[in-house]
Amino acid sequence: MISAIAGTLSLGGRFSERIATKAELARIGHYYATESMLLWNAETCRYEAEATPEFGSDTLTEFYHALANGEVTISRGAHAVF
């Protein structure tokens, strides 16, 4: 379904940069929806979650907790409302 959406948007993208951008996002979404992010083991011909490297130990919950307590701040730059 995402491929059909991306294809349709690509046709419209020939006339509008905005629609072309949406088509690219649809293609990216299709890639992440269909490709495994796990490590491929050539010996067993399987993807292995256990062998896939993980980085970091921060969690979103911990970050929001630190943000609420004023322990961290977010620099929004040009995106700041106030």
Side-chain angles (χ1 to χ4, degrees):
M1 185 170 182
I2 294 175
S3 292
I5 293 169
T8 303
L9 289 171
S10 292
L11 290 174
R14 294 179 183 186
F15 306 103
S16 168
E17 183 66 31
R18 184 174 177 201
I19 295 174
T21 300
K22 292 187 183 301
E24 181 64 18
L25 288 174
R27 285 190 291 274
I28 291 168
H30 178 263
Y31 173 82
Y32 281 104
T34 58
E35 293 295 322
S36 177
M37 299 296 134
L38 299 177
L39 185 70
W40 177 257
N41 184 333
E43 292 177 11
T44 61
C45 295
R46 296 178 59 179
Y47 291 103
E48 294 183 356
E50 299 81 24
T52 302
E54 295 180 23
F55 298 94
S57 59
D58 297 338
T59 65
L60 188 58
T61 303
E62 292 170 349
F63 172 74
Y64 282 141
H65 182 56
L67 188 62
N69 289 334
E71 298 168 9
V72 295
T73 58
I74 301 173
S75 174
R76 293 182 186 94
H79 302 287
V81 176
F82 300 106

